Every structure is written in C-alpha cells, then in structure tokens.
C-alpha cells in the first residue's frame, strides 16, 4: 500500500489545498505542504490497518464498528488540517481497505510465513524500521514522543519475535 501510494502520488502530482487556495481560506496546521495530495497516505494506512484488524478479529463486524470510525477520524483530520482534498481521503480509504483485505486474504492463503525463519526475517526488517523511526527527524517536534514510543514498541516486539518466533506462530494459531 505504501509503495503504491508513492507511485500514485508521483503519477497524479496533484497540488494540495495550500498550493491552490489563499492561505486565509484554509485552516492550516503545521508546515504547509504544496504537492502530492492525491491520495492521502494517512487514509490509506488507517483503512488498511482497520481492515486487517477487523478481518483478523474473532468477530470482524464488531471490530469493524471500532476500527472504521477511528480510521475515518484519521482520514477526515487530513482535511481539517488543510493537507488534503476530500477526494484524496475517499480514494485513500477505499484503496487502503482493499489493500488490507488483500493482505489478510493472502496471509491466510499462503502459510509459508508460519516458518520460524520467515518470522525472524520479518522481525529483523521491522526492527530496522523501528530503529529508523527512532533516529529519523520528520520535522514534527510535537509528535516526537509518540514517534519514539512507537519505535520502542516496534523494536521491542521485533526483538521478542527474533528471540522467540514461536510466540508469533502461537498467536497466529490462536483463532
């Protein structure tokens, strides 16, 4: 989903509201960004995660009643802060949901990921992502504590999965 998002942004090259509208006509929070509005990466990620969590739950419909409103709030917030047009989030939401559904389906169909070596390799990649999240300055000082907490959670769970891949495998078999 993330790769496709960047390709679509590059192909569409849609200006953001701050590039088109007078600055006094929009409610802008943060540093203005002017390019690559379509689609909303936040909406794609929020809805992909919402569908994965919902479809992986024991009661998908009940979980969707929780995950969909949260994903919607994230997506709509991108309009509220002046970063996106409505079409950016509508497409992002639909595309993200489809990516999550496809990923969940493929994970259930392909059982090769259940091998300890695959779990460890995936965990190493996630640990690297956690480390990058910890070290990279994204230029948003207000979110730094959340970024660091998320990085530590990702790194910690990755280390656990590297050391004890059976925990991950047992969790996948719990349903």
């Amino acid at each position: 989903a993330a790769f496709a998002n960047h390709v679509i942004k590059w192909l569409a090259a849609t200006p953001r509201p701050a590039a088109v509208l007078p600055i006094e006509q929009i409610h802008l929070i943060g540093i203005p960004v002017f390019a690559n509005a379509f689609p909303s990466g936040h909406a794609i990620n929020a809805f992909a995660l919402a569908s994965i969590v919902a479809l992986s739950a024991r009661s998908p419909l009940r979980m969707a009643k929780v995950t969909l409103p949260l994903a919607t709030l994230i997506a709509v917030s991108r309009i509220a802060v002046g970063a996106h047009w409505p079409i950016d989030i509508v497409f992002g939401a639909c595309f993200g949901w489809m990516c999550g559904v496809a990923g969940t389906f493929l994970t259930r169909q392909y059982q090769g990921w259940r091998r300890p070596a695959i779990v460890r390799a995936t965990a190493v990649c996630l640990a690297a992502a956690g480390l990058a999240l910890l070290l990279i300055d994204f230029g948003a000082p207000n979110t730094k504590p959340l970024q660091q907490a998320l990085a530590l959670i990702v790194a910690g769970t990755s280390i656990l999965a590297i050391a004890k891949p059976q925990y991950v495998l047992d969790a996948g078999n719990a349903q």
Side-chain angles (χ1 to χ4, degrees), residues 63-161:
M63 185 58 73
K65 290 178 182 178
V66 174
T67 61
L68 281 175
L70 292 174
T72 301
L73 285 173
I74 291 168
V76 171
S77 76
R78 302 305 293 159
I79 294 173
V81 300
H84 284 286
W85 304 101
I87 190 66
D88 303 340
I89 66 160
V90 170
F91 179 86
C94 294
F95 185 71
W97 186 266
M98 289 187 308
C99 286
V101 169
T104 303
F105 173 78
L106 291 173
T107 300
R108 289 181 180 158
Q109 296 302 311
Y110 175 70
Q111 297 298 313
W113 70 271
R114 295 184 182 269
R115 296 193 318 261
I118 301 296
V119 170
R120 281 192 178 106
T122 303
V124 167
C125 293
L126 287 174
L131 181 62
L133 191 58
L134 191 61
L135 299 176
I136 294 174
D137 180 12
F138 291 100
N142 294 344
T143 63
K144 191 70 170 175
L146 180 61
Q147 180 183 334
Q148 291 170 335
L150 182 60
L152 293 174
I153 290 168
V154 168
T157 54
S158 298
I159 290 167
L160 177 64

